[in-house]
Amino acid sequence: MITEPELRPLGVDGVLVRFSRVLTEQANAQALSFKDQVDTAGIAGLTEVASSLTSVRVGFDPKRTDRRAVCEALQPLISAQRTPETSPKRRWQIPVAFGPDHAPQLAEAAALAGVTPDRAIADITSQTTRVTAIGFAPGQPFLGMLPDHWNFPRQSTLTESLPRGALITAVQQLIIWGADAPTGWRHIGQTAFRVYLPETETPFAFQPGDAVQFQAVSDSAFADIKADPTTNGGAICEVLR
């Protein structure tokens, strides 16, 4: 755990501000809050401000500024770190099918968590998770944190391919899978939600910090949701602030 934020060089055109080496809700909230601070600080020459689980990458244009100037501009923001805002700006409700055809590894994941499959579903649907970061695939969210008993590792081998919209889990986190691709995370449910909408003006459905709650639906209800082109997987997004 880092007690003070670290400021480190990252490549030829970036600076990394790291709040912790261990994922915690506090460290993630600090990273998201700091990103917002940098976004509104008006620092000259920046090209990107991107948060991850516990850090923020600040990219800059070497033709317009240099690392020293960027670090000097960031240091007052780091020194004046305030208590991060933890209330979400938006809350999502997303239907999930947990039937055997849609959740082939639910029983395995539940056993690793030390609970029954029914309790596993209750854990997941009663928990309001947060988008802690977006990455690996366009728009793909990392969602946390689940209770401590969900802190089990990834698989030792890869599943060759999971469908887009799969709900997968490892290390106390959930992901809505962004594309048909292999993974070492366990497949415990299925949504019809598209995290990446390249045909729209806002192609990433989620924003870091969004709250997400899953709702269990029957296989027949899921089939109806999947067949309806007018909604994104039956999801509802509520703007909170």
Side-chain angles (χ1 to χ4, degrees):
M1 183 69 68
I2 297 169
T3 56
E4 295 293 334
E6 289 183 325
L7 188 61
R8 295 285 185 266
L10 188 65
V12 298
D13 61 353
V15 173
L16 183 73
V17 182
R18 179 187 287 136
F19 294 91
S20 175
R21 295 181 183 273
V22 178
L23 174 59
T24 65
E25 291 184 3
Q26 175 69 15
N28 181 249
Q30 285 180 296
L32 297 182
S33 177
F34 186 74
K35 176 190 180 299
D36 289 343
Q37 286 180 265
V38 179
D39 279 337
T40 58
I43 299 173
L46 299 191
T47 57
E48 178 191 48
V49 185
S51 61
S52 67
L53 295 176
T54 62
S55 61
V56 177
R57 179 190 183 270
V58 181
F60 61 88
D61 182 351
K63 294 180 180 179
R64 298 171 56 202
T65 187
D66 57 34
R67 194 187 317 278
R68 180 177 178 179
V70 172
C71 289
E72 288 178 351
L74 292 176
Q75 193 60 62
L77 301 180
I78 294 172
S79 299
Q81 268 287 288
R82 58 179 183 265
T83 302
E85 174 61 64
T86 56
S87 63
K89 295 179 181 178
R90 305 191 302 176
R91 179 187 294 117
W92 291 85
Q93 296 180 1
I94 300 177
V96 185
F98 290 102
D101 291 342
H102 298 116
Q105 294 175 293
L106 175 63
E108 179 184 349
L112 289 169
V115 297
T116 65
D118 285 345
R119 169 64 191 280
I121 294 170
D123 278 354
I124 294 162
T125 55
S126 65
Q127 180 84 15
T128 299
T129 60
R130 296 287 290 274
V131 179
T132 56
I134 291 174
F136 183 77
Q140 184 167 284
F142 289 78
L143 303 165
M145 300 283 290
L146 292 176
D148 289 346
H149 55 274
W150 285 86
N151 191 14
F152 51 77
R154 300 167 182 81
Q155 301 173 139
S156 58
T157 59
L158 290 177
T159 301
E160 288 188 4
S161 183
L162 289 186
R164 184 180 68 188
L167 185 65
I168 62 178
T169 189
V171 291
Q172 268 183 280
Q173 297 175 82
L174 297 165
I175 288 176
I176 300 176
W177 207 226
D180 297 351
T183 182
W185 293 44
R186 290 173 173 84
H187 186 183
I188 61 168
Q190 186 67 41
T191 79
F193 188 77
R194 294 173 60 201
V195 300
Y196 181 49
L197 304 161
E199 71 279 9
T200 69
E201 293 183 0
T202 54
F204 287 10
F206 290 121
Q207 299 170 6
D210 282 356
V212 180
Q213 185 155 25
F214 294 104
Q215 298 177 320
V217 296
S218 67
D219 287 356
S220 59
F222 180 71
D224 291 340
I225 290 169
K226 193 174 180 180
D228 184 353
T230 64
T231 70
N232 186 359
I236 297 172
C237 182
E238 178 186 5
V239 177
L240 304 177
R241 61 180 177 90

